[in-house]
Amino acid sequence: MMRISRTFIVTAITFLTVAACTSEKTESSEPATPRYVKLATISNIPNFDEFTFPAVVSAVKTVDLSFEVSGRLIQTDLVTGSDIEKGKLLATIDREPFERRVEQSRTRLEQSKRELSRIEKMFAQNLVAQSSLDSAKTSYELAVLDLKNAEQDLSYTQLYAPFDAKLSQRLVENNSFVAAGTPIARLQDMSKIYFNINVPERLLTANLGRGIKQASATLATNRSQWYPVTYVEHSTQPDPVSQTYEVVFAMEPREELPLTPGARAIVKVSLQGSMYPEGLVVPVKSLVGDKDNGFAIWIFDENNSRVNKQSISVKHIENELAIVEGDIRLGQRVVSAGATKMTPDMKVLPYKGEK
């Protein structure tokens, strides 16, 4: 009985050993299942030369008209929304008090002139002192200045349009008393149409030194027709809240394009040269690594369907594209989804999606 048990045990051990070896051999020889991955092709840098911005229409300048003297408003020609030619009389305040002051000043001037003539004759005969002559001359000079001031104040009683403009707003009504410096109307210089856009700081910084090749504008509500515009100016300090720079473009008024200040528009700007003359483009999702440790991409080998890691340098990221440089070439395919799950020499198959 003892002999049978020993034989059985030896046989069992031998069987288990052979089975284990067979299982191990089978497991090691079984090939790994390839992973399906999404691939993208390394391409040339796209044209980053054209940018579109929302814009707001504005006047060349907006001026609040006001009298430089106080008085009662007796005449106005202030129709809101009307076009006004330069030099047109817009408003008048009561001129009679100022006309009386002019007459008074003129009378005093005549009186001081006669007094100066009398003193000069007496001084020539040594009948008065030098101080009397000096006093008479001072009185005459003051009378001259007083008349000039009175005439100037009289001229201030009428307001004329300083330029061709559109009357944006009437701020007072006729027959009301207006103090000096109180705005009575708001004029807008529409000799040109201004388009104000806000450019993000990163975009302006990235394109410093590039000239404007072409710019055009259109209404935000109708983009079927674009009109050429020219650069006017831009701010050199960003808005503290939005961190954007204001840029202004201008266009000559057009009858077929009725625009008023405050209207919404679109400005399209094309720049000269290239922002990145060298480099290639890969999807941002294909990048692995970080700025401190460096970036890399997984390149797909068409011959053996395996991936290899390639170090690259990232020059710029624009939306979902990364401009890179390195030991790569145009047309190579890279893993564009699930790149972080790749390992060296991993076998993969291109994912073609559902048909």
Side-chain angles (χ1 to χ4, degrees):
M1 187 70 179
M2 180 65 72
R3 182 176 300 174
I4 294 174
S5 299
R6 289 178 178 175
T7 303
F8 176 77
I9 293 172
V10 171
T11 302
I13 293 174
T14 303
F15 174 77
L16 291 174
T17 302
V18 172
C21 292
T22 303
S23 176
E24 182 179 353
K25 182 178 181 181
T26 302
E27 183 178 352
S28 62
S29 62
E30 183 179 352
T33 303
R35 179 189 295 269
Y36 282 91
V37 295
K38 188 176 181 181
L39 300 177
T41 303
I42 298 177
S43 59
N44 284 319
I45 300 176
N47 189 2
F48 289 132
D49 295 339
E50 187 174 276
F51 304 91
T52 302
F53 304 93
V56 176
V57 176
S58 67
V60 175
K61 57 186 174 183
T62 300
V63 176
D64 286 345
L65 288 183
S66 61
F67 287 101
E68 295 192 40
V69 292
S70 301
R72 185 165 302 279
L73 200 59
I74 60 172
Q75 177 269 331
T76 60
D77 189 1
L78 305 173
V79 180
T80 302
S82 61
D83 293 323
I84 298 172
E85 293 184 357
K86 179 180 179 180
K88 180 180 180 180
L89 178 62
L90 300 178
T92 305
I93 62 176
D94 189 1
R95 294 168 59 86
E96 290 187 3
F98 299 92
E99 290 172 344
R100 287 196 297 269
R101 184 185 168 192
V102 169
E103 290 301 321
Q104 291 174 356
S105 298
R106 187 173 288 119
T107 301
R108 291 194 184 98
L109 177 60
E110 291 297 328
Q111 181 182 7
S112 62
K113 184 177 181 180
R114 289 194 299 269
E115 180 65 14
L116 175 60
S117 178
R118 186 179 70 83
I119 296 296
E120 285 177 336
K121 291 178 180 179
M122 294 179 65
F123 180 78
Q125 299 174 5
N126 294 323
L127 298 176
V128 295
Q130 179 68 43
S131 59
S132 297
L133 178 61
D134 294 340
S135 179
K137 287 182 178 179
T138 301
S139 298
Y140 173 76
E141 292 171 354
L142 290 175
V144 171
L145 293 176
D146 187 61
L147 177 59
K148 289 182 178 180
N149 289 335
E151 291 174 339
Q152 185 180 56
D153 288 346
L154 178 61
S155 68
Y156 286 159
T157 60
Q158 293 180 315
L159 273 183
Y160 296 88
F163 48 80
D164 292 341
K166 183 178 289 293
L167 185 61
S168 171
Q169 191 174 5
R170 183 178 63 249
L171 303 175
V172 297
E173 297 299 331
N174 200 16
N175 296 318
S176 58
F177 182 86
V178 292
T182 301
I184 68 164
R186 182 164 295 157
L187 299 184
Q188 293 176 326
D189 183 355
M190 301 299 293
S191 58
K192 288 187 177 181
I193 307 299
Y194 274 7
F195 297 86
N196 301 72
I197 66 174
N198 292 305
V199 180
E201 182 179 11
R202 64 173 184 83
L203 185 59
L204 185 67
T205 303
N207 290 278
L208 287 177
R210 302 179 68 189
I212 296 174
K213 180 169 59 177
Q214 183 181 358
S216 55
T218 188
L219 285 173
T221 54
N222 183 11
R223 306 188 186 186
S224 59
Q225 180 68 43
W226 292 82
Y227 301 89
V229 294
T230 56
Y231 165 83
V232 177
E233 61 183 4
H234 72 276
S235 60
T236 57
Q237 290 185 338
D239 182 273
V241 177
S242 63
Q243 290 299 303
T244 58
Y245 293 83
E246 185 181 49
V247 183
V248 181
F249 291 86
M251 180 183 70
E252 297 292 335
R254 294 175 176 266
E255 293 184 0
E256 70 274 18
L257 187 66
L259 290 173
T260 57
R264 294 183 298 113
I266 302 293
V267 171
K268 183 166 55 179
V269 182
S270 298
L271 301 180
Q272 297 174 346
S274 176
M275 184 166 54
Y276 300 98
E278 298 180 356
L280 296 171
V281 171
V282 298
V284 171
K285 293 182 179 180
S286 66
L287 300 177
V288 293
D290 53 47
K291 184 177 180 181
D292 296 330
N293 299 315
F295 290 97
I297 54 177
W298 291 97
I299 297 180
F300 176 69
D301 191 333
E302 305 282 351
N303 297 322
N304 56 19
S305 298
R306 298 183 183 275
V307 293
N308 299 300
K309 195 173 185 180
Q310 177 62 54
S311 298
I312 48 91
S313 60
V314 178
K315 299 300 181 183
H316 177 71
I317 292 179
E318 184 74 23
N319 297 327
E320 297 181 354
L321 298 178
I323 301 175
V324 300
E325 290 183 354
D327 190 12
I328 55 177
R329 65 180 184 275
L330 186 67
Q332 285 183 310
R333 293 203 286 175
V334 298
V335 178
S336 61
T340 56
K341 298 179 181 179
M342 298 294 100
T343 58
D345 210 32
M346 175 183 285
K347 190 167 186 178
V348 299
L349 293 176
Y351 174 72
K352 298 181 180 179
E354 297 181 359
K355 295 184 179 180

